[in-house]
Amino acid sequence: MDKYGIIGCPLGHSFSPGFFNEKFRNEKIDAIYEKYELPQIESLPEILASNPELKGLNVTIPYKQKVIAYLDEVSEEARAIGAVNVVAVRHQGNDLHLTGYNSDVIGFTQSIEPLLMEHHKKALILGTGGASKAIEYSLRKLGLETVKVSRFERSDTIQYEQVTAEVVEEYNVIVNCTPVGMYPKTEECPPLPYDAMDSRTLLYDLIYNPDETLFMKKGRERGAEVKNGLEMLLLQAYASWEFWRQ
C-alpha cells in the first residue's frame, strides 16, 4: 500500500488526512495518508527511512522553508518563492529522490483570479511567512503590485499603523496570510481601517475555520467582496496529487 502524509507541527488542525483518505476510499486507491508531527525538521530522514512506502508529503508550518535543505530538486516556482509545501518521493533503486513543489500558488491563483476586476491593481499582503511568499508570487504573476504588512519593522514591509484609509483605497485587494482570526480566537482581526472599505475592496482570507472570519465580516458589512481559503485548500490538494503522480 502506498503512503502519503503531512509534516509540520502542530498538525491537530490539518485538513489533508481527511481529504485524501476519503479520496482514496471513494476512488478505490490502495493508499493511506498519515500525519507526521515533527518537533524538529531534523527528524525528516528518519520518517523517510522508516516508511519506505512513502510516495509524497505535504509540508506545513513551520517547515515550508526549512525542508528545502533536504531536497534533491526544487521546482522553478518553489525556488523563486523560497517555500515548498509538496514533496514528491521517488525511488531510484536503493536511493530516494525528493522533489519540492509549491501548490499554494496554483490553489490561490485559480481561486482569486475570477474575483479580480479592472480596478484591482494593487494588493496588501498581511504577514511574512511561507504562505505570504506564494501569495506575493501569484499576485505579481496576475499583474498586481504588492506590499507586505508586518507587525515588526522589516526592510521590505510596512507596519499596520502605516495602513491608512488612503492606503486601503489604493491597495484595494487585501490578503490575510496570518493566523489572526482563526478558530478558536475568532474575535480577533488584523488592525486595519475597515471604514475605508467599499464595493471596490476585495478581501481574501487564507483561513477557512471559521467560514467567515471577523476580517471578512467587517469588510462584507462595508460592501467588500470577501472569500475564505477553503477553495484554495481544495485546489492545492488536487495539485499535490498531480505532483505526486508525475
Side-chain angles (χ1 to χ4, degrees):
M1 179 187 289
D2 289 342
K3 268 190 189 177
Y4 299 88
I6 183 166
I7 60 168
C9 191
L11 291 177
H13 65 284
S14 180
F15 148 96
S16 300
F19 172 84
F20 281 107
N21 284 319
E22 185 178 352
K23 175 184 174 66
F24 297 155
R25 280 193 301 273
N26 291 344
E27 299 179 24
K28 295 184 171 48
I29 296 167
D30 188 24
I32 189 168
Y33 190 103
E34 297 181 335
K35 292 181 189 176
Y36 300 102
E37 191 159 306
L38 305 184
Q40 64 268 328
I41 190 67
E42 288 78 10
S43 304
L44 177 58
E46 188 184 327
I47 294 294
L48 293 165
S50 56
N51 293 277
E53 311 90 345
L54 262 176
K55 295 291 191 290
L57 290 168
N58 287 118
V59 184
T60 188
I61 295 168
Y63 300 135
K64 289 186 179 188
Q65 289 156 279
K66 291 178 181 175
V67 75
I68 293 173
Y70 293 83
L71 306 178
D72 300 294
E73 193 179 343
V74 178
S75 74
E76 195 177 323
E77 267 187 354
R79 191 170 294 286
I81 294 158
V84 160
N85 73 327
V86 181
V87 175
V89 182
R90 299 184 175 104
H91 298 262
Q92 299 177 341
N94 293 326
D95 297 325
L96 289 182
H97 187 87
L98 306 180
T99 307
Y101 302 94
N102 193 300
S103 65
D104 284 339
V105 172
I106 296 168
F108 178 72
T109 302
Q110 290 178 354
S111 182
I112 198 170
E113 193 169 15
L115 305 178
L116 294 173
M117 311 292 281
E118 200 174 326
H119 56 266
H120 292 139
K121 299 186 186 304
K122 297 184 179 183
L124 293 179
I125 300 168
L126 311 182
T128 57
S132 73
K133 296 175 191 302
I135 300 316
E136 181 179 44
Y137 184 90
S138 300
L139 289 169
R140 288 184 175 178
K141 281 197 84 171
L142 289 166
L144 279 74
E145 283 182 44
T146 63
V147 170
K148 283 188 180 177
V149 184
S150 174
R151 289 176 296 158
F152 310 106
E153 234 176 273
R154 300 170 188 260
S155 58
D156 59 342
T157 67
I158 63 172
Q159 282 65 61
Y160 281 96
E161 54 269 27
Q162 294 170 277
V163 182
T164 61
E166 291 74 24
V167 170
V168 166
E169 285 165 17
E170 185 181 357
Y171 288 79
N172 56 7
V173 176
I174 305 177
V175 184
N176 179 32
C177 302
T178 78
V180 176
M182 185 187 290
Y183 180 84
K185 297 184 178 179
T186 56
E187 72 291 346
E188 297 179 1
C189 65
L192 299 170
Y194 291 91
D195 287 343
M197 297 176 185
D198 58 25
S199 61
R200 294 167 59 83
T201 311
L202 169 58
L203 300 187
Y204 193 110
D205 202 328
L206 266 58
I207 292 169
Y208 55 92
N209 184 13
D211 290 341
E212 184 178 70
T213 58
L214 188 55
F215 165 74
M216 293 167 61
K217 182 172 185 285
K218 284 187 159 194
R220 181 177 53 74
E221 286 170 350
R222 289 157 180 84
E225 175 102 33
V226 301
K227 185 159 190 171
N228 71 16
L230 183 59
E231 184 185 48
M232 172 184 167
L233 197 70
L234 291 167
L235 291 167
Q236 66 96 351
Y238 297 142
S240 298
W241 183 240
E242 293 307 313
F243 285 135
W244 293 330
R245 296 176 70 213
Q246 279 181 6

